[in-house]
Coordinates of all heavy atoms in Angstrom, one line a residue:
M11 N -22.8 -211.7 -146.4 CA -21.9 -212.7 -146.9 C -22.5 -213.4 -148.1 O -23.7 -213.5 -148.2 CB -21.7 -213.8 -145.8 CG -21.3 -213.2 -144.5 SD -19.6 -212.8 -144.4 CE -19.1 -213.9 -143.1
R12 N -21.7 -213.8 -149.0 CA -22.2 -214.5 -150.2 C -21.4 -215.8 -150.4 O -20.2 -215.8 -150.2 CB -22.1 -213.6 -151.4 CG -22.5 -214.3 -152.7 CD -22.2 -213.5 -153.9 NE -23.0 -212.3 -153.9 CZ -22.6 -211.1 -154.4 NH1 -21.4 -211.0 -154.9 NH2 -23.4 -210.1 -154.4
N13 N -22.1 -216.8 -150.8 CA -21.5 -218.0 -151.2 C -21.1 -217.9 -152.7 O -22.0 -217.8 -153.5 CB -22.5 -219.2 -151.0 CG -21.8 -220.5 -151.4 OD1 -20.9 -220.6 -152.2 ND2 -22.3 -221.6 -150.8
P14 N -19.9 -217.8 -153.0 CA -19.5 -217.6 -154.4 C -19.9 -218.7 -155.3 O -20.1 -218.5 -156.5 CB -17.9 -217.5 -154.4 CG -17.5 -217.8 -153.0 CD -18.7 -218.0 -152.1
A15 N -20.1 -219.9 -154.7 CA -20.5 -221.1 -155.6 C -21.9 -221.0 -156.1 O -22.2 -221.2 -157.3 CB -20.3 -222.3 -154.8
N16 N -22.8 -220.5 -155.3 CA -24.2 -220.5 -155.7 C -24.9 -219.1 -155.6 O -26.0 -219.0 -155.9 CB -25.0 -221.6 -154.9 CG -25.0 -221.3 -153.4 OD1 -24.6 -220.3 -153.0 ND2 -25.5 -222.3 -152.7
G17 N -24.1 -218.2 -155.1 CA -24.7 -216.8 -155.1 C -25.6 -216.6 -153.9 O -26.1 -215.5 -153.7
R18 N -25.8 -217.6 -153.1 CA -26.7 -217.4 -151.9 C -26.1 -216.4 -151.0 O -24.9 -216.4 -150.7 CB -26.9 -218.7 -151.2 CG -28.2 -218.9 -150.5 CD -28.4 -220.3 -150.1 NE -27.5 -220.6 -148.9 CZ -28.0 -220.5 -147.6 NH1 -29.2 -220.1 -147.4 NH2 -27.2 -220.8 -146.6
E19 N -26.9 -215.5 -150.5 CA -26.5 -214.5 -149.6 C -27.1 -214.6 -148.2 O -28.3 -214.9 -148.1 CB -26.7 -213.1 -150.1 CG -26.0 -212.8 -151.4 CD -26.1 -211.4 -151.9 OE1 -26.9 -210.7 -151.4 OE2 -25.3 -211.1 -152.8
V20 N -26.3 -214.4 -147.2 CA -26.9 -214.4 -145.8 C -26.4 -213.2 -145.1 O -25.3 -212.6 -145.4 CB -26.4 -215.7 -145.1 CG1 -27.2 -216.9 -145.6 CG2 -24.9 -215.9 -145.1
V21 N -27.2 -212.7 -144.2 CA -26.8 -211.6 -143.3 C -26.6 -212.2 -141.9 O -27.5 -212.8 -141.3 CB -27.8 -210.5 -143.3 CG1 -27.4 -209.4 -142.3 CG2 -28.0 -209.9 -144.7
I22 N -25.4 -212.1 -141.4 CA -25.1 -212.7 -140.1 C -24.2 -211.7 -139.4 O -23.6 -210.8 -139.9 CB -24.4 -214.0 -140.2 CG1 -23.1 -213.9 -141.0 CG2 -25.3 -215.1 -140.7 CD1 -22.3 -215.2 -141.1
E23 N -24.2 -211.9 -138.1 CA -23.3 -211.1 -137.2 C -21.9 -211.9 -137.3 O -21.8 -213.0 -136.9 CB -23.8 -211.1 -135.8 CG -23.4 -209.9 -135.0 CD -24.1 -209.9 -133.7 OE1 -25.4 -209.9 -133.7 OE2 -23.5 -209.7 -132.7
A24 N -20.9 -211.2 -137.8 CA -19.7 -211.9 -138.0 C -18.6 -211.2 -137.2 O -18.6 -210.0 -137.0 CB -19.4 -211.8 -139.5
E25 N -17.6 -212.0 -136.9 CA -16.4 -211.5 -136.2 C -15.3 -211.3 -137.2 O -15.2 -212.1 -138.2 CB -15.9 -212.5 -135.1 CG -16.9 -212.7 -134.0 CD -17.2 -211.4 -133.2 OE1 -16.2 -210.6 -133.1 OE2 -18.3 -211.2 -132.7
P26 N -14.5 -210.3 -137.1 CA -13.3 -210.1 -138.0 C -12.4 -211.4 -137.9 O -12.3 -212.0 -136.9 CB -12.6 -208.9 -137.5 CG -13.5 -208.3 -136.5 CD -14.5 -209.3 -136.0
E27 N -11.8 -211.7 -139.1 CA -10.8 -212.7 -139.2 C -11.4 -214.2 -139.1 O -10.7 -215.1 -139.2 CB -9.7 -212.6 -138.1 CG -9.1 -211.2 -138.0 CD -8.5 -210.7 -139.4 OE1 -8.1 -211.5 -140.1 OE2 -8.6 -209.5 -139.6
E28 N -12.7 -214.3 -138.8 CA -13.3 -215.6 -138.8 C -13.7 -216.0 -140.1 O -14.0 -215.2 -141.0 CB -14.6 -215.6 -137.9 CG -14.3 -215.3 -136.4 CD -13.7 -216.5 -135.7 OE1 -14.0 -217.6 -136.1 OE2 -12.9 -216.3 -134.8
I29 N -13.7 -217.3 -140.4 CA -14.2 -217.9 -141.6 C -15.5 -218.4 -141.4 O -15.8 -219.1 -140.4 CB -13.2 -219.1 -142.1 CG1 -11.8 -218.6 -142.1 CG2 -13.7 -219.7 -143.3 CD1 -11.4 -217.9 -143.4
Y30 N -16.5 -218.1 -142.3 CA -17.8 -218.6 -142.2 C -18.2 -219.5 -143.4 O -17.8 -219.2 -144.5 CB -18.8 -217.4 -142.1 CG -18.6 -216.6 -140.8 CD1 -17.7 -215.6 -140.7 CD2 -19.3 -217.0 -139.7 CE1 -17.5 -215.0 -139.5 CE2 -19.1 -216.3 -138.5 CZ -18.2 -215.3 -138.4 OH -18.0 -214.7 -137.2
L31 N -18.9 -220.5 -143.0 CA -19.2 -221.5 -144.1 C -20.7 -221.5 -144.3 O -21.5 -221.2 -143.3 CB -18.8 -222.9 -143.6 CG -17.3 -223.1 -143.3 CD1 -17.0 -224.5 -142.9 CD2 -16.5 -222.7 -144.6
D32 N -21.1 -221.7 -145.5 CA -22.5 -221.9 -145.8 C -23.1 -223.1 -145.1 O -22.5 -224.2 -145.2 CB -22.7 -222.1 -147.3 CG -24.1 -222.0 -147.7 OD1 -25.0 -222.7 -147.2 OD2 -24.5 -221.2 -148.6
R33 N -24.1 -222.8 -144.3 CA -24.7 -223.9 -143.5 C -25.1 -225.1 -144.3 O -25.1 -226.2 -143.8 CB -25.9 -223.3 -142.7 CG -26.1 -224.0 -141.4 CD -27.2 -223.3 -140.6 NE -26.7 -222.0 -140.1 CZ -27.5 -221.0 -139.6 NH1 -28.8 -221.2 -139.6 NH2 -27.0 -219.8 -139.2
E34 N -25.6 -224.9 -145.5 CA -26.1 -225.9 -146.3 C -25.1 -226.7 -147.2 O -25.1 -227.9 -147.3 CB -27.3 -225.4 -147.2 CG -28.5 -225.1 -146.4 CD -29.5 -224.4 -147.2 OE1 -29.4 -224.4 -148.5 OE2 -30.4 -223.7 -146.6
T35 N -24.1 -225.9 -147.7 CA -23.2 -226.5 -148.7 C -21.8 -226.6 -148.1 O -21.0 -227.4 -148.7 CB -23.2 -225.6 -150.0 OG1 -22.6 -224.4 -149.6 CG2 -24.5 -225.4 -150.6
G36 N -21.5 -225.9 -147.0 CA -20.2 -226.0 -146.5 C -19.2 -225.1 -147.3 O -18.0 -225.1 -146.9
D37 N -19.6 -224.4 -148.3 CA -18.7 -223.5 -149.0 C -18.3 -222.3 -148.1 O -19.1 -221.9 -147.3 CB -19.4 -223.0 -150.3 CG -19.7 -224.1 -151.3 OD1 -18.8 -224.9 -151.5 OD2 -20.8 -224.1 -151.8
E38 N -17.2 -221.9 -148.4 CA -16.7 -220.7 -147.6 C -17.4 -219.4 -148.1 O -17.5 -219.3 -149.3 CB -15.2 -220.5 -147.8 CG -14.6 -219.5 -146.8 CD -13.1 -219.5 -146.9 OE1 -12.5 -220.6 -146.9 OE2 -12.5 -218.4 -146.9
L39 N -17.9 -218.6 -147.2 CA -18.6 -217.4 -147.6 C -17.6 -216.3 -147.7 O -16.7 -216.2 -147.0 CB -19.7 -217.1 -146.5 CG -20.8 -218.1 -146.3 CD1 -21.6 -217.7 -145.2 CD2 -21.6 -218.2 -147.6
E40 N -17.9 -215.4 -148.7 CA -17.1 -214.2 -148.8 C -17.9 -213.1 -148.4 O -19.1 -213.0 -148.5 CB -16.6 -214.0 -150.3 CG -17.8 -213.9 -151.3 CD -17.2 -213.7 -152.7 OE1 -16.0 -213.8 -152.9 OE2 -18.1 -213.4 -153.6
V41 N -17.2 -212.1 -147.7 CA -17.8 -210.9 -147.2 C -18.1 -210.0 -148.4 O -17.2 -209.6 -149.1 CB -17.0 -210.2 -146.2 CG1 -17.6 -209.0 -145.7 CG2 -16.6 -211.1 -145.0
V42 N -19.4 -209.6 -148.6 CA -19.7 -208.7 -149.6 C -20.2 -207.4 -149.1 O -20.4 -206.4 -149.9 CB -20.7 -209.3 -150.6 CG1 -20.1 -210.5 -151.4 CG2 -22.0 -209.8 -149.9
G43 N -20.5 -207.3 -147.9 CA -21.0 -206.1 -147.3 C -20.9 -206.1 -145.8 O -20.9 -207.1 -145.2
K44 N -20.8 -204.9 -145.3 CA -20.7 -204.8 -143.8 C -21.6 -203.7 -143.3 O -21.8 -202.7 -144.0 CB -19.2 -204.4 -143.4 CG -18.2 -205.4 -143.7 CD -16.8 -204.9 -143.3 CE -15.8 -205.9 -143.7 NZ -14.4 -205.5 -143.4
V45 N -22.2 -204.0 -142.2 CA -23.1 -203.1 -141.6 C -22.2 -202.5 -140.4 O -21.8 -203.2 -139.5 CB -24.4 -203.7 -141.0 CG1 -25.2 -202.7 -140.3 CG2 -25.1 -204.4 -142.1
L46 N -22.0 -201.2 -140.5 CA -21.1 -200.6 -139.5 C -21.9 -200.0 -138.4 O -23.0 -199.6 -138.6 CB -20.3 -199.5 -140.2 CG -19.3 -200.0 -141.3 CD1 -18.7 -198.8 -142.0 CD2 -18.3 -200.9 -140.7
P47 N -21.4 -200.0 -137.2 CA -22.1 -199.3 -136.1 C -22.2 -197.9 -136.5 O -21.4 -197.3 -137.2 CB -21.2 -199.5 -134.9 CG -20.0 -200.3 -135.4 CD -20.1 -200.6 -136.8
L48 N -23.4 -197.3 -136.1 CA -23.6 -195.9 -136.5 C -22.7 -195.0 -135.7 O -22.4 -195.2 -134.5 CB -25.0 -195.6 -136.2 CG -26.1 -196.2 -137.1 CD1 -27.4 -195.9 -136.6 CD2 -25.9 -195.7 -138.5
A49 N -22.2 -194.0 -136.4 CA -21.4 -193.0 -135.7 C -22.4 -192.2 -134.8 O -23.6 -192.2 -135.0 CB -20.8 -192.0 -136.7
P50 N -21.8 -191.7 -133.8 CA -22.7 -190.8 -132.9 C -23.4 -189.8 -133.8 O -22.8 -189.2 -134.6 CB -21.7 -190.1 -131.9 CG -20.5 -191.0 -132.0 CD -20.4 -191.7 -133.3
S51 N -24.7 -189.6 -133.5 CA -25.4 -188.8 -134.4 C -26.1 -187.7 -133.7 O -26.5 -187.9 -132.5 CB -26.4 -189.7 -135.2 OG -27.4 -188.9 -135.8
K52 N -26.4 -186.6 -134.3 CA -27.1 -185.6 -133.7 C -28.6 -185.9 -133.7 O -29.4 -185.2 -133.0 CB -26.9 -184.3 -134.5 CG -25.6 -183.6 -134.1 CD -25.4 -182.3 -134.9 CE -24.9 -182.7 -136.3 NZ -24.5 -181.5 -137.1
S53 N -29.0 -186.9 -134.4 CA -30.4 -187.2 -134.5 C -30.8 -188.0 -133.2 O -30.1 -188.8 -132.7 CB -30.7 -188.1 -135.7 OG -32.0 -188.5 -135.7
R54 N -32.0 -187.7 -132.8 CA -32.6 -188.4 -131.6 C -33.6 -189.5 -132.1 O -34.1 -190.2 -131.4 CB -33.2 -187.5 -130.6 CG -32.3 -186.6 -129.9 CD -33.0 -185.9 -128.7 NE -34.2 -185.3 -129.2 CZ -34.3 -184.1 -129.7 NH1 -33.2 -183.3 -129.9 NH2 -35.5 -183.6 -130.1
L55 N -33.8 -189.5 -133.4 CA -34.8 -190.4 -134.0 C -34.2 -191.8 -134.0 O -33.0 -192.0 -134.4 CB -35.2 -190.0 -135.4 CG -36.0 -188.7 -135.5 CD1 -36.2 -188.3 -136.9 CD2 -37.3 -188.8 -134.8
P56 N -34.9 -192.8 -133.7 CA -34.4 -194.2 -133.9 C -34.2 -194.4 -135.4 O -34.9 -193.8 -136.3 CB -35.5 -195.0 -133.3 CG -36.7 -194.2 -133.2 CD -36.3 -192.7 -133.2
W57 N -33.3 -195.4 -135.7 CA -33.0 -195.7 -137.1 C -34.1 -196.6 -137.6 O -34.0 -197.8 -137.6 CB -31.6 -196.4 -137.1 CG -31.1 -196.5 -138.5 CD1 -31.1 -197.7 -139.2 CD2 -30.3 -195.6 -139.2 NE1 -30.5 -197.4 -140.4 CE2 -30.0 -196.2 -140.4 CE3 -30.0 -194.3 -139.0 CZ2 -29.3 -195.5 -141.5 CZ3 -29.3 -193.6 -140.0 CH2 -28.9 -194.2 -141.2
A58 N -35.2 -196.0 -138.0 CA -36.3 -196.8 -138.5 C -36.8 -196.2 -139.8 O -36.6 -195.0 -140.0 CB -37.5 -196.8 -137.5
V59 N -37.4 -197.0 -140.6 CA -37.8 -196.6 -142.0 C -38.6 -195.3 -141.9 O -38.3 -194.4 -142.8 CB -38.6 -197.7 -142.6 CG1 -39.1 -197.3 -144.0 CG2 -37.7 -199.0 -142.8
E60 N -39.5 -195.2 -141.0 CA -40.4 -194.0 -141.1 C -39.6 -192.7 -140.7 O -40.1 -191.6 -140.9 CB -41.6 -194.2 -140.1 CG -41.3 -194.5 -138.7 CD -41.2 -195.9 -138.4 OE1 -40.9 -196.7 -139.3 OE2 -41.4 -196.3 -137.2
N61 N -38.4 -192.9 -140.1 CA -37.7 -191.7 -139.7 C -36.5 -191.4 -140.7 O -35.7 -190.5 -140.5 CB -37.0 -191.9 -138.3 CG -38.1 -192.0 -137.3 OD1 -39.2 -191.4 -137.4 ND2 -37.8 -192.7 -136.2
L62 N -36.4 -192.1 -141.8 CA -35.3 -192.0 -142.6 C -35.7 -191.4 -144.0 O -36.8 -191.5 -144.4 CB -34.7 -193.4 -142.9 CG -34.1 -194.1 -141.7 CD1 -33.7 -195.5 -142.0 CD2 -32.9 -193.3 -141.1
R63 N -34.7 -190.8 -144.6 CA -34.8 -190.2 -145.9 C -33.5 -190.5 -146.7 O -32.5 -190.9 -146.1 CB -35.1 -188.7 -145.8 CG -33.9 -188.0 -145.1 CD -34.1 -186.6 -144.8 NE -34.0 -185.8 -146.0 CZ -33.7 -184.5 -146.1 NH1 -33.6 -183.8 -144.9 NH2 -33.6 -183.9 -147.2
F64 N -33.6 -190.3 -148.0 CA -32.4 -190.6 -148.7 C -31.7 -189.2 -149.0 O -32.3 -188.2 -149.4 CB -32.8 -191.2 -150.1 CG -33.2 -192.6 -150.0 CD1 -34.5 -192.9 -149.9 CD2 -32.2 -193.6 -149.9 CE1 -34.9 -194.3 -149.8 CE2 -32.6 -194.9 -149.8 CZ -34.0 -195.3 -149.7
C65 N -30.4 -189.2 -148.8 CA -29.6 -188.0 -149.1 C -29.6 -187.9 -150.6 O -29.4 -188.8 -151.4 CB -28.2 -188.3 -148.6 SG -27.0 -187.0 -149.2
G66 N -29.9 -186.6 -151.0 CA -29.9 -186.3 -152.5 C -28.5 -186.4 -153.1 O -28.4 -186.4 -154.3
W67 N -27.5 -186.4 -152.3 CA -26.1 -186.3 -152.9 C -25.6 -187.7 -153.1 O -25.1 -188.1 -154.1 CB -25.2 -185.6 -151.9 CG -25.6 -184.1 -151.7 CD1 -26.3 -183.6 -150.7 CD2 -25.4 -183.1 -152.6 NE1 -26.5 -182.3 -150.9 CE2 -25.9 -181.9 -152.1 CE3 -24.7 -183.0 -153.9 CZ2 -25.9 -180.7 -152.7 CZ3 -24.7 -181.7 -154.5 CH2 -25.2 -180.6 -153.9
C68 N -25.6 -188.5 -152.0 CA -25.0 -189.8 -152.0 C -26.0 -191.0 -152.0 O -25.6 -192.1 -152.3 CB -24.0 -190.0 -150.8 SG -24.8 -190.0 -149.2
G69 N -27.3 -190.6 -151.8 CA -28.3 -191.7 -151.9 C -28.3 -192.6 -150.6 O -29.1 -193.5 -150.6
Q70 N -27.5 -192.2 -149.6 CA -27.6 -193.0 -148.4 C -28.7 -192.6 -147.5 O -29.2 -191.5 -147.6 CB -26.2 -192.9 -147.7 CG -25.1 -193.5 -148.4 CD -25.3 -195.0 -148.8 OE1 -25.4 -195.8 -147.9 NE2 -25.3 -195.3 -150.1
L71 N -29.0 -193.4 -146.6 CA -30.1 -193.1 -145.6 C -29.6 -192.1 -144.5 O -28.5 -192.2 -144.1 CB -30.7 -194.3 -145.0 CG -31.5 -195.2 -146.0 CD1 -31.7 -196.6 -145.4 CD2 -32.8 -194.5 -146.3
A72 N -30.5 -191.2 -144.2 CA -30.2 -190.3 -143.1 C -31.5 -190.1 -142.3 O -32.6 -190.1 -142.9 CB -29.6 -189.0 -143.6
Q73 N -31.3 -189.8 -141.0 CA -32.5 -189.5 -140.3 C -33.1 -188.2 -140.7 O -32.4 -187.2 -141.1 CB -32.2 -189.4 -138.8 CG -32.0 -190.8 -138.1 CD -30.5 -191.0 -137.9 OE1 -29.7 -190.6 -138.7 NE2 -30.2 -191.7 -136.8
K74 N -34.5 -188.1 -140.7 CA -35.2 -186.9 -141.3 C -34.9 -185.6 -140.5 O -35.1 -184.6 -141.0 CB -36.7 -187.2 -141.2 CG -37.1 -188.1 -142.4 CD -38.6 -188.4 -142.3 CE -39.0 -189.3 -143.4 NZ -40.4 -189.8 -143.2
D75 N -34.5 -185.8 -139.2 CA -34.3 -184.5 -138.5 C -32.9 -183.9 -138.6 O -32.5 -183.0 -137.9 CB -34.7 -184.7 -137.0 CG -33.8 -185.7 -136.3 OD1 -33.1 -186.5 -137.0 OD2 -33.8 -185.8 -135.1
L76 N -32.1 -184.5 -139.5 CA -30.8 -184.0 -139.7 C -30.7 -183.1 -140.9 O -31.4 -183.3 -141.9 CB -29.8 -185.2 -139.9 CG -29.5 -186.1 -138.8 CD1 -28.6 -187.3 -139.2 CD2 -28.9 -185.4 -137.6
N77 N -29.9 -182.1 -140.8 CA -29.8 -181.2 -142.0 C -28.6 -181.6 -142.8 O -28.7 -181.4 -144.0 CB -29.5 -179.7 -141.5 CG -30.8 -179.2 -140.9 OD1 -31.9 -179.4 -141.3 ND2 -30.6 -178.4 -139.9
D78 N -27.6 -182.2 -142.2 CA -26.5 -182.6 -143.0 C -26.4 -184.1 -143.0 O -26.7 -184.8 -142.0 CB -25.2 -182.1 -142.3 CG -25.1 -180.6 -142.3 OD1 -25.5 -180.0 -143.2 OD2 -24.7 -180.1 -141.2
C79 N -26.1 -184.6 -144.2 CA -26.0 -186.1 -144.4 C -24.9 -186.7 -143.5 O -23.7 -186.2 -143.6 CB -25.8 -186.4 -145.8 SG -25.4 -188.1 -146.2
P80 N -25.2 -187.7 -142.7 CA -24.1 -188.3 -141.9 C -23.1 -189.1 -142.7 O -22.1 -189.4 -142.2 CB -24.9 -189.2 -140.9 CG -26.2 -189.5 -141.6 CD -26.5 -188.3 -142.5
T81 N -23.5 -189.5 -143.9 CA -22.6 -190.2 -144.8 C -21.6 -189.4 -145.5 O -20.4 -189.6 -145.5 CB -23.4 -191.1 -145.8 OG1 -24.3 -191.9 -145.0 CG2 -22.5 -192.0 -146.6
C82 N -22.2 -188.4 -146.3 CA -21.2 -187.6 -147.1 C -21.0 -186.2 -146.5 O -20.2 -185.5 -147.0 CB -21.8 -187.5 -148.5 SG -23.3 -186.5 -148.6
G83 N -21.8 -185.8 -145.5 CA -21.6 -184.6 -144.8 C -22.1 -183.4 -145.5 O -22.0 -182.2 -145.0
R84 N -22.8 -183.6 -146.6 CA -23.3 -182.4 -147.4 C -24.7 -182.1 -146.9 O -25.4 -182.9 -146.3 CB -23.3 -182.7 -148.9 CG -22.0 -182.6 -149.4 CD -22.0 -182.7 -150.9 NE -21.9 -184.1 -151.3 CZ -21.6 -184.5 -152.5 NH1 -21.3 -183.7 -153.5 NH2 -21.5 -185.8 -152.8
R85 N -25.1 -180.8 -147.1 CA -26.4 -180.4 -146.6 C -27.4 -181.0 -147.5 O -27.4 -180.9 -148.7 CB -26.5 -178.9 -146.6 CG -27.8 -178.3 -146.1 CD -27.6 -177.0 -145.5 NE -26.7 -177.1 -144.3 CZ -27.2 -177.0 -143.0 NH1 -28.4 -176.7 -142.8 NH2 -26.4 -177.1 -142.0
M86 N -28.4 -181.6 -146.9 CA -29.5 -182.2 -147.6 C -30.6 -181.2 -147.9 O -30.8 -180.3 -147.1 CB -30.1 -183.4 -146.9 CG -29.0 -184.5 -146.7 SD -29.7 -186.0 -146.0 CE -29.9 -185.4 -144.3
G87 N -31.2 -181.3 -149.0 CA -32.3 -180.3 -149.4 C -33.5 -180.6 -148.5 O -33.5 -181.4 -147.7
P88 N -34.5 -179.7 -148.7 CA -35.8 -179.9 -147.9 C -36.4 -181.2 -148.2 O -36.1 -181.8 -149.3 CB -36.6 -178.7 -148.4 CG -36.0 -178.3 -149.7 CD -34.6 -178.6 -149.7
L89 N -37.1 -181.7 -147.3 CA -37.8 -183.0 -147.5 C -38.7 -182.9 -148.7 O -39.5 -182.0 -148.9 CB -38.6 -183.3 -146.2 CG -37.9 -184.0 -145.1 CD1 -38.9 -184.2 -143.9 CD2 -37.3 -185.3 -145.5
G90 N -38.5 -183.9 -149.5 CA -39.4 -184.0 -150.7 C -39.6 -185.5 -151.1 O -39.3 -186.3 -150.3
P91 N -40.1 -185.7 -152.2 CA -40.3 -187.1 -152.6 C -39.0 -187.8 -152.7 O -38.0 -187.2 -153.1 CB -41.0 -186.9 -154.0 CG -40.8 -185.5 -154.4 CD -40.6 -184.7 -153.2
R92 N -39.0 -189.0 -152.4 CA -37.7 -189.8 -152.4 C -37.4 -190.0 -153.9 O -38.3 -190.1 -154.8 CB -37.9 -191.1 -151.7 CG -38.1 -190.9 -150.2 CD -38.1 -192.3 -149.5 NE -39.2 -193.1 -150.1 CZ -39.3 -194.4 -149.7 NH1 -38.5 -194.9 -148.9 NH2 -40.3 -195.1 -150.2
P93 N -36.1 -190.1 -154.2 CA -35.7 -190.5 -155.6 C -36.4 -191.7 -156.0 O -36.4 -192.7 -155.2 CB -34.2 -190.7 -155.4 CG -33.8 -190.2 -154.1 CD -35.0 -190.1 -153.2
G94 N -36.9 -191.7 -157.2 CA -37.6 -192.9 -157.6 C -39.0 -193.0 -157.4 O -39.8 -193.7 -158.0
D95 N -39.5 -192.1 -156.4 CA -40.9 -192.1 -156.2 C -41.6 -191.3 -157.3 O -41.1 -190.4 -157.8 CB -41.2 -191.3 -154.9 CG -41.2 -192.2 -153.7 OD1 -40.9 -193.4 -153.9 OD2 -41.4 -191.8 -152.6
R96 N -42.8 -191.8 -157.6 CA -43.5 -191.1 -158.7 C -45.0 -191.5 -158.6 O -45.3 -192.7 -158.5 CB -43.0 -191.3 -160.0 CG -42.6 -190.0 -160.7 CD -42.2 -190.1 -162.1 NE -41.5 -188.9 -162.4 CZ -42.1 -187.7 -162.7 NH1 -43.4 -187.7 -162.7 NH2 -41.4 -186.6 -162.9
Ligands
ZN6 ZN1 -25.1 -187.9 -148.4

């Protein structure tokens, strides 16, 4: 959520259709991003940084033991350096 007045962002657990206010300023927050529950996955690895890699197609995170990206469905290449690593 973001306060459009000052750009402050907060991550909170929100209910649909509810209005959320900035705790400090009382401004109404706008939703700028959502964390969706994970779809059932073939991976048994917990969703933790050490188990995740970036899909080379869409750049989203996927568990390392998956061959196909759960986000875009395309086959991910062999494990390699992450994009941006050097
Ligand atoms: Zn992908």
Side-chain angles (χ1 to χ4, degrees):
M11 309 280 242
R12 175 187 295 145
N13 182 336
N16 60 12
R18 209 168 75 90
E19 295 187 346
V20 289
V21 176
I22 55 174
E23 206 171 310
E25 298 294 329
E27 311 305 327
E28 294 284 328
I29 304 280
Y30 291 88
L31 301 179
D32 190 306
R33 207 173 291 165
E34 287 169 18
T35 64
D37 293 316
E38 190 172 316
L39 297 174
E40 60 180 9
V41 177
V42 292
K44 293 179 183 178
V45 180
L46 298 174
L48 289 174
S51 168
K52 279 178 282 187
S53 173
R54 291 190 311 274
L55 293 173
W57 191 262
V59 174
E60 59 268 26
N61 295 331
L62 296 174
R63 57 188 285 202
F64 288 95
C65 169
W67 298 100
C68 66
Q70 296 301 302
L71 289 166
Q73 286 104 323
K74 282 177 181 169
D75 63 345
L76 295 176
N77 291 323
D78 298 320
C79 172
T81 303
C82 66
R84 283 186 274 198
R85 181 148 300 248
M86 297 184 289
L89 275 176
R92 292 187 300 174
D95 273 2
R96 236 184 199 281

